[in-house]
Amino acid sequence: RYVEDCRRILAELEEAEDRLLAAFRETITDKDTPVAARAAAEQFMPRVVECHNVMRNRKLVLKAAS
């Protein structure tokens, strides 16, 4: 049960990270995004990608362990 709960939670977190990453990409590439918003998104994008990769890797490790 614990492992199944972890899998479910990690899958939900990764989906949220996917949506966040897509929103950041859209903000950066949308020509109508204000300059300040684009700059902020570009500044935080490396951290967003890093967090996304952590969630993905944790999900893969848990999947491989089962």
Side-chain angles (χ1 to χ4, degrees):
R1 168 118 174 116
Y2 174 77
V3 172
E4 194 58 40
D5 287 345
C6 287
R7 271 194 212 115
R8 182 183 49 77
I9 291 167
L10 284 174
E12 289 176 17
L13 286 171
E14 188 186 19
E15 287 176 19
E17 292 286 340
D18 287 344
R19 290 190 301 273
L20 180 63
L21 190 57
F24 266 72
R25 286 183 176 142
E26 182 179 340
T27 298
I28 291 169
T29 61
D30 185 345
K31 65 178 179 150
D32 294 327
T33 299
V35 173
R38 182 178 293 111
E42 288 171 342
Q43 177 186 352
F44 289 106
M45 184 62 142
R47 182 70 176 132
V48 171
V49 170
E50 180 183 347
C51 290
H52 176 271
N53 292 342
V54 166
M55 285 299 118
R56 183 197 62 225
N57 292 341
R58 288 183 180 167
K59 186 179 87 170
L60 292 174
V61 165
L62 189 59
K63 184 177 181 178
S66 43

